[in-house]
């Protein structure tokens, strides 16, 4: 009841203000005001259309993977702006001709208040979803992390984001719950491969042979930089460790890692390069019983 009274009071106040503004006008002045309002709204709408079309046709926006969604959301906002401007124009025209707009404003006030109270989270979902799409924070197919959930984006809408994790579980996340997103698809990733060799192996010889065998991967379609051979990175009593690194686009590092590891192993076998021996420690019977 209080909501209806407050909304009605605001509507009456707005109605009185508008009608008093145009109350002393002559008939020709009223027609002039109506013409200016119509022309002004048409000019504003044309400027908005021109600006939006210019942005949507820019190369930067068109190159985005979510371009179709950006167009859809932008068109929805464009229509909403048109509706608001037309409503403002209609209320002004009604006031110019001394027609009360209080019932219309009161009805819209109660309706918008009901939506605001009953669907706050839904509105937040849509607003956050729009900015996620418009700012291209992530797109369908990206590997992202939201909170403790990491996976591939399967669907991105105005209300929810759907992520499929590596256990094939589908997570549906309301956009209003998304505050921090880690997009692992937008930067190159470094992969480091380490392997051990017996101390009897000459590190210069090993480096020469392995460098030669992995050189062909430098022109691989998924390779961004590398592979770069670091050499000996750790010394031990019976073995030493060597390493190499390379950079790829996110999600393409695994196949290259498998191929490079296989190439290193085949080179070691072909060149008789020894891996460190695994020494098993034998325990005497009585000692074994004592341990049990």
């Amino acid at each position: 009841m209080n909501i209806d009274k407050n909304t009605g009071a605001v509507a009456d106040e707005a109605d009185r203000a508008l009608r008093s503004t145009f109350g002393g006008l002559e008939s020709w002045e009223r027609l002039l005001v109506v013409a200016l309002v119509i022309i002004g709204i048409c000019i504003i709408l044309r400027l908005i259309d021109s600006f939006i079309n210019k942005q949507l046709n820019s190369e930067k926006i068109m190159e985005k993977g979510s371009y179709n969604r950006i167009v859809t959301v932008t068109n929805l906002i464009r229509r909403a702006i048109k509706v608001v401007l037309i409503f403002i124009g209609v209320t002004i025209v009604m006031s110019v001709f001394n027609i009360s707009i209080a019932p219309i404003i009161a009805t819209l006030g109660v309706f918008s208040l009901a939506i605001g109270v009953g669907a706050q989270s839904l509105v937040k979902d849509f607003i956050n979803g729009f900015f996620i799409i418009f700012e291209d924070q992530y797109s369908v197919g990206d590997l992202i992390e939201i909170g403790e959930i990491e996976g591939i984006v399967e669907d991105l809408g105005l209300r929810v984001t759907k992520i499929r994790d590596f256990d094939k579980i589908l997570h549906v996340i309301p956009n209003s719950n998304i505050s921090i997103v880690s997009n692992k698809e937008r930067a190159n990733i470094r992969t480091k491969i380490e392997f051990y060799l017996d101390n009897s192996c000459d590190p210069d010889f090993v480096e020469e042979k392995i460098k030669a065998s992995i050189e062909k991967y430098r022109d691989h379609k998924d390779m961004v930089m590398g592979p770069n051979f670091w050499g000996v990175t750790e010394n031990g009593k019976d073995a030493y460790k060597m390493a190499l690194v390379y950079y790829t686009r996110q999600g393409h590092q695994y196949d290259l890692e498998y191929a490079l590891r296989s190439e290193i192993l085949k080179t070691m076998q072909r060149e008789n390069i020894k891996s460190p021996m695994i020494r098993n420690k034998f325990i005497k019977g009585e000692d074994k019983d004592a341990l049990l």
Side-chain angles (χ1 to χ4, degrees), residues 89-145:
V90 170
T91 57
I92 293 175
V93 170
M94 292 175 64
S95 299
V96 167
F97 289 107
N98 202 30
I99 301 173
S100 177
I101 62 171
I104 297 176
I105 296 178
T107 302
L108 289 176
V110 173
F111 180 70
S112 61
L113 187 61
I115 292 177
V117 172
Q120 288 183 1
S121 61
L122 184 63
V123 173
K124 288 173 64 179
D125 287 341
F126 275 82
I127 293 174
N128 206 27
F130 165 74
F131 281 108
I132 287 172
I133 295 172
F134 192 77
E135 295 173 356
D136 196 25
Q137 297 179 16
Y138 52 86
S139 305
V140 174
D142 283 358
L143 174 63
I144 67 171
E145 183 176 348

Side-chain angles (χ1 to χ4, degrees), residues 148-152 154-155 160-174:
E148 297 181 355
I149 300 173
E150 181 179 359
I152 305 297
E154 284 202 352
D155 186 52
V160 298
T161 294
K162 298 179 180 179
I163 300 176
R164 180 83 63 178
D165 67 17
F166 298 113
D167 293 327
K168 303 303 180 182
I169 299 173
L170 181 65
H171 302 269
V172 181
I173 307 172

Side-chain angles (χ1 to χ4, degrees), residues 194-242:
E194 299 176 318
F195 53 97
Y196 290 88
L197 300 121
D198 191 88
N199 275 340
S200 63
C201 300
D202 180 1
D204 292 335
F205 176 79
V206 173
E207 182 174 348
E208 177 188 350
K209 295 301 180 180
I210 292 182
K211 269 187 175 180
S213 66
I214 64 175
E215 184 65 24
K216 60 185 177 182
Y217 290 95
R218 195 170 296 276
D219 297 325
H220 194 279
K221 61 181 179 65
D222 293 328
M223 186 72 72
V224 174
M225 184 186 301
N228 298 321
F229 200 91
W230 279 7
V232 179
T233 58
E234 183 181 320
N235 292 320
K237 179 182 178 181
D238 300 313
Y240 62 90
K241 181 167 65 176
M242 305 188 86

